[in-house]
Amino acid sequence: RVLVKMGNLHREWVRSVATKRGLNADAVDSAGGELFTSGSYRLGVHEPGADIDTIAVAPNICTRDDFFGSGYISPNKIEGDDDEAPERDPDSLAERIRRHPDVTNFVPVENAAVPILTFDWEGINIDLLFAQLNSPSVSSNFDVDDDMVLSGVDSATEKSLNGPRVTNLIAALVSGTEQRYQTFLTVVRLVRKWAKSRGLYSNKMGYWGGVNINMAVALVLQLYPNACPASLLRKFFLVFKSWRWPNPVMLTKPHDAELGLPVWNSHQAATMRQVAPMITPAYPAMNSTLSVSRQTLQILHEEFCRGHIIVDKLYKDFQRGDVLDEEEVESGEIWKELFEPSDFFIGYPHYLSVCVVGPTQQDAQSWAGFVESRLRKLVSDMLGRSLPLSKIQLWPKKFDACVADRTALLTHAQRANSITYFIGFRVDTLRMRGDQLDVERQLTNFRNYELSRFHPLVPGMDILPRSFGVKELPKVCFEDIYDGGKVAAMKRRRRLIEADPKRQEAKNKKKLAKLKKKMEAMQRKKQEAESASAKLEEDETADVGVKEGAEEEDILESRKRKREEKGAMAQEGPVKGEEEEEEAALLESALDAIEGAGVLQHKTREEAEIDRQKLLAGELLGDGEDEADGGDAIKNEKPVRKLTREEREAEILRRSGLVIVSDDEATVIGGNRILPWRHGYKQAMAVVKKEEPSDSNNEDVKPSKKPKASIRVRTTIKFKTKFDVVELDASGCVIDKGDDDFMPSLKWIGRKGGFEFKLSDRGLGYYRTGKKVVVPSNVAYS
């Protein structure tokens, strides 16, 4: 009924234009004018609330200005008043439709590549295109499928007429039998419903439109002509999830009718940059998915893979039998997962809202229509290419709400006449530099180079961006998608995050690493306990062995020393040396100390020998007071402290003539020595000689001319702990032995005291120097 009313109105307008041109009555009556439909309405798969794509075909006497009423100058207009909005011709078709009482939401879009009128007639959304033929009339039996109707037409008319021509040719290609055609329509309905629920149904936003879905299903039907609807739907997802883009999707081979119109060719430079071409079967062949970008193709491919997994699982369950519930099969509940709403508003960590505002409702509608046709360029060409993003998606459905910041200087009319689109994106952390993502430059370029083309640009028309986190999104985003609103959406988001295989794998790896660390700590504690017990047993055994070995060695050394002393005395006579006198004095002092302490008792021969060995080892010696102090001083002397194992071993090494340096002492051995060639050596040696004590008993004794017999003391050393052996030079510094791991290093890793980067005998590397390395600030190492 609506199309009949529109057809009558269109023919009346053509007659009025012919009359205005001054044609005779016969020419006015034969001017004609027809309406053609395309898309889903033409195929019979339209849904309630879907729009109807309509093309108004007019003769050459009707121009596009007559159709929109632009360029009209009102006779009542005052000269010099250019601030008012331009009026439209009241006799134009656009004004006739706008003034109709059943028409609402009238929005004309003149500046688009294909100018269009969008309005609601009795609640039915109509998209009306205009096509101007190169003929004086349009008869009632006009054949739109004839290629000659495109002779002499402009580009906009060519694109407008291509809609019904492509739809008729697709219907002809799939209508081999009635059953095949019904299968085609069924699968087209399913795919359209799937695309709308998943946010993939919008050609101007960069996704697939109705024509693209019709062509895709027709191609799969050509590949599998005898498949049932369910099998054909499974093949649809299988084919396009594995399609090798940018290979074009073509139902027929393109042909050239030699009318001078450009035909799509894969060898042209412009077509080689197209991402996912789908070529229309009618002449002139063109790419119907020119708006698809790499970002939107990524989203389409992910949805194709998801759909194939769901449908293929149902197919396998059906093949096994007794797996699917018969009630769910009859009611269609098994397909519920396929048509679930998209998780767009919980699938991204960051979102960007674009609020389109206008001063009045009419201006806002025309301004919003123009911005909608350019949003895909902002997302794919500007944000997607110039920012470090791993994924970006534009939600094709608009929200009749203003989510702009409260600090934005907007009037009440602007907030009332506004719509909002949302863009979700995920940042690529590997390419990201810094902590903030700046999109101001891209938005400025979008305003200057894309939105500035709109005419007329009225003050008050603007776009207001705003960034959101996933938890900061307004509640209006979740009302029509989730039953529980934002709360249910956040719960679902948590479930999806926990069910993510990558997250589960990372969580399991973290738990495994924690468990391994705990096990290593337990094993380390166990090994430490075992090593401590083993060391304790070894120390106990070593103490006994060292004590027994030391006693035996002392006995042997004492016997050897006695023999040597007897031989020397036999040769030299009864003269005693200084060492023998000191030893005799110490022995007498020790015997007096023992007698004074009251510990002298009758002992066996073995006990006396042990005490003698202890005496020679210095264990029974006191602080060494002079004999002149008398017996009272010896009686008041405190008991001698028993030496520890470390102290006994150190004393043995000192008696052997070795220098013992502890960790707490100076790191440079012999640092207090004055070398012979240094200044002040003679004075220092003179001071040392003066400080040496003089022996009063030996003042009158002249030194013997014969040399003293040298006594060599041999000591066996058994090391119980590992330590580094360093070699000192004449000044007491450590000689170069390489770097930390005793290997030369070819790369400077920073300044470090005690090392130097140089060329030595073992090659270029990092060597010890025994002193701090001072590196000038103006020297750079690479």
Side-chain angles (χ1 to χ4, degrees), residues 66 203 332 335:
D66 297 331
N203 186 267
W335 303 99

Side-chain angles (χ1 to χ4, degrees), residues 149 279 565 632 660:
V149 300
I279 311 307
E565 290 176 357
D632 296 336
I660 308 300

Side-chain angles (χ1 to χ4, degrees), residues 303-455:
E303 293 295 335
F304 287 144
C305 295
R306 173 187 175 274
H308 178 260
I309 292 173
I310 296 173
V311 179
D312 189 62
K313 181 178 180 299
L314 295 176
Y315 172 77
K316 292 179 179 178
D317 293 343
F318 177 77
Q319 292 293 329
R320 286 196 296 267
D322 298 334
V323 177
L324 299 176
D325 190 359
E326 295 182 358
E327 295 182 358
E328 292 183 356
V329 173
E330 293 178 358
S331 62
E333 289 293 327
I334 59 174
W335 303 99
K336 183 178 180 180
E337 183 180 1
L338 179 64
F339 302 110
E340 280 185 353
S342 174
D343 295 323
F344 170 79
F345 289 102
I346 60 175
Y348 293 92
H350 309 285
Y351 293 88
L352 181 68
S353 66
V354 180
C355 187
V356 185
V357 298
T360 62
Q361 183 179 3
Q362 183 178 358
D363 294 336
Q365 288 178 349
S366 58
W367 170 244
F370 180 79
V371 174
E372 288 174 2
S373 63
R374 298 295 194 277
L375 272 179
R376 60 181 177 84
K377 294 187 177 181
L378 170 64
V379 175
S380 300
D381 298 344
M382 298 183 180
L383 297 178
R385 291 184 180 181
S386 59
L387 296 179
L389 304 178
S390 60
K391 188 178 180 182
I392 185 170
Q393 181 178 358
L394 170 63
W395 186 247
K397 299 178 182 178
K398 61 183 178 182
F399 294 89
D400 295 331
C402 181
V403 298
D405 196 356
R406 295 182 180 275
T407 58
L409 301 178
L410 296 178
T411 62
H412 180 72
Q414 285 179 317
R415 291 189 178 273
N417 303 315
S418 63
I419 61 172
T420 303
Y421 286 92
F422 285 90
I423 303 170
F425 59 92
R426 187 176 291 111
V427 179
D428 188 357
T429 56
L430 298 178
R431 296 188 295 154
M432 181 67 179
R433 295 183 180 180
D435 300 333
Q436 295 182 352
L437 196 67
D438 188 8
V439 298
E440 186 64 29
R441 182 171 62 86
Q442 287 77 11
L443 292 172
T444 302
N445 294 337
F446 181 64
R447 287 191 181 97
N448 296 337
Y449 299 110
E450 296 294 337
L451 302 185
S452 60
R453 300 179 182 180
F454 180 77
H455 182 76

Side-chain angles (χ1 to χ4, degrees), residues 554-555 558-559 561-562 565 583 587 603 606-618 620:
D554 291 343
I555 293 172
S558 63
R559 291 177 180 177
R561 193 179 301 111
K562 285 182 179 180
E565 290 176 357
E583 184 178 353
L587 181 58
K603 297 182 181 180
E606 290 78 11
E607 292 177 349
E609 184 65 20
I610 292 173
D611 291 339
R612 182 176 179 278
Q613 297 298 332
K614 289 183 179 181
L615 178 62
L616 294 176
L620 298 179

